[in-house]
Amino acid sequence: MRAWVAHASRPGTIESAALPVPVPADGELLVRVIACGVCRTDLHVRDGDLPAHRERVVPGHEVVGEVVAAGPGATGPAAGARVGIPWLRWTCGTCRYCVRGRENLCPSSLYTGWDADGGYAEYATVPAEYAYELPQGYTDEELAPLLCAGIIGYRALRRADLPPGGRLGVYGFGASAHLTTQVALARGAAVHVFTRSPAARELALRLGAVSAADPHAPPREPLDAAILFAPAGDLVPVALEALDSGGTLSIAGIHLTDIPSLDYRRHLFRERTIHSVTANTREDGRALLAAAAEHRLRVMVTGYGFDHADRALDDLSAGRVNGVAVLRVRRPDDSSRPATAAR
């Protein structure tokens, strides 16, 4: 099969490769990849911002595809079903975090495109219990970003403790933020967006944001909650200062540059709170996909042919992608199947 791989010993690049079609292990599904979102976390894997878990890995964890085979003992979606493969790939189910319903903090957790090969390939595997059934009414390319950008944004919104009808600040307005903003708006929030990009500010206003301004501009009104999507630690004090008393800042990224010194009275006093976000639970994913089924989200997609995965990552790094970059992996005329019997 065709695939793209990142090498820990050669950070900053990915290269095309021909790899064997993977064989699903016990409890796993083999999925023929149709589309795969290009996430900023893929950049962190490529560039070595995240510690390498393997010398060579296929990135990609916003995977939409078709089940074509199953390993021994796998239950769930049958051959031909459209499923999603997300970032969270496996948790132990027995540690103190898992039994408390906080499997995103499982110390043994594994991740697609980091610990195991992901969706920058024509085929991928996924433990059946971690695959998502997908809502109707969306194209494959529109569904792909929901599987990480949407889910992580949804968890970040939960962690922001936004009160009903509250005032939410969104710092950074890329893949995750433009989806989370729509969920918040559907719930009656007043959303203020802060981003350097004029095009992103225009998009935010079109989607229904009350205002859109530069990240360092003060908000029009004190914020009940804020979410920091941009991986820029220097915006932490900016967002904290914009919060009203009792407000919460939720930091959504897996990677963040250094945070400057905070002034207790300006930034934290009057019970302002900081919440970090670490991955997600499967319940988060199911809740986000249910919200997407109830409220038709506008998913802004920039499509790339599979042969241009390297360019898609470069464009994302340089800020040239408005909305979400998505790889079209499956060729329209491609009806091939791997030499593995379908369940």
Side-chain angles (χ1 to χ4, degrees):
M1 67 175 184
R2 299 179 301 155
W4 288 87
V5 297
H7 293 273
S9 57
R10 300 198 294 276
T13 62
I14 59 171
E15 63 182 22
S16 60
L19 300 179
V21 174
V23 177
D26 289 358
E28 290 186 346
L29 304 173
L30 177 63
V31 175
R32 184 179 184 226
V33 180
I34 300 171
C36 184
V38 179
C39 178
R40 189 160 294 276
T41 302
D42 300 335
L43 276 179
H44 298 321
V45 170
R46 184 197 72 172
D47 296 343
D49 296 327
L50 296 177
H53 288 184
R54 296 171 53 178
E55 165 55 29
R56 189 236 72 195
V57 69
V58 176
H61 55 273
E62 297 179 327
V63 186
V64 174
E66 175 189 358
V67 176
V68 293
T75 59
R82 185 170 68 165
V83 297
I85 302 178
W87 172 239
L88 184 66
R89 181 179 180 86
W90 182 85
T91 55
C92 73
T94 58
C95 71
R96 63 185 182 276
Y97 302 108
C98 286
V99 298
R100 294 172 186 168
R102 304 187 72 180
E103 64 180 0
N104 59 306
L105 301 180
C106 175
S108 302
S109 55
L110 300 176
Y111 299 93
T112 307
W114 192 19
D115 296 292
D117 286 341
Y120 288 22
E122 292 183 297
Y123 293 91
T125 61
V126 60
E129 293 183 353
Y130 291 79
Y132 288 116
E133 296 184 20
L134 299 173
Q136 300 299 313
Y138 294 85
T139 67
D140 298 312
E141 288 81 5
E142 290 173 327
L143 286 168
L146 300 182
L147 294 163
C148 180
I151 293 172
I152 290 298
Y154 188 84
R155 182 164 189 86
L157 182 59
R158 280 183 162 178
R159 295 280 288 162
D161 294 333
L162 180 68
R167 300 155 299 182
L168 175 68
V170 173
Y171 288 81
F173 202 72
S176 192
H178 93 282
L179 297 171
T180 307
T181 291
Q182 294 178 71
V183 175
L185 289 168
R187 294 179 172 181
V191 180
H192 300 269
V193 170
F194 303 90
T195 176
R196 295 178 301 175
S197 167
R201 290 198 289 266
E202 291 177 9
L203 174 58
L205 294 173
R206 289 201 306 271
L207 291 175
V210 175
S211 69
D214 181 85
H216 292 275
R220 292 184 180 181
E221 55 185 342
L223 305 174
D224 296 305
I227 304 174
L228 176 59
F229 287 105
D234 66 296
L235 290 178
V236 170
V238 174
L240 285 171
E241 194 166 1
L243 291 177
D244 202 356
S245 299
T248 298
L249 170 62
S250 174
I251 302 176
I254 193 174
H255 172 76
L256 189 71
T257 59
D258 291 344
I259 300 173
S261 296
L262 299 177
D263 180 277
Y264 177 67
R265 183 162 292 277
R266 287 176 57 196
H267 302 129
L268 294 173
F269 191 56
R270 296 194 60 78
E271 300 192 353
R272 298 183 184 97
T273 303
I274 301 175
H275 284 168
S276 65
V277 176
T278 299
N280 63 273
T281 65
R282 282 172 283 177
E283 196 278 328
D284 291 324
R286 289 188 288 266
L288 177 277
L289 293 171
E294 181 180 359
H295 308 287
R296 180 58 167 85
L297 304 180
R298 294 175 60 189
V299 188
M300 306 302 170
V301 170
T302 299
Y304 288 80
F306 184 61
D307 293 336
H308 301 297
D310 51 350
R311 191 180 77 194
L313 282 171
D314 288 342
D315 286 351
L316 179 61
S317 179
R320 293 189 292 262
V321 177
N322 192 22
V324 192
V326 176
L327 301 181
R328 300 186 181 103
V329 179
R330 177 176 175 177
R331 297 178 179 128
D333 60 348
D334 185 1
S335 60
S336 60
R337 292 288 188 276
T340 307
R343 172 164 53 89

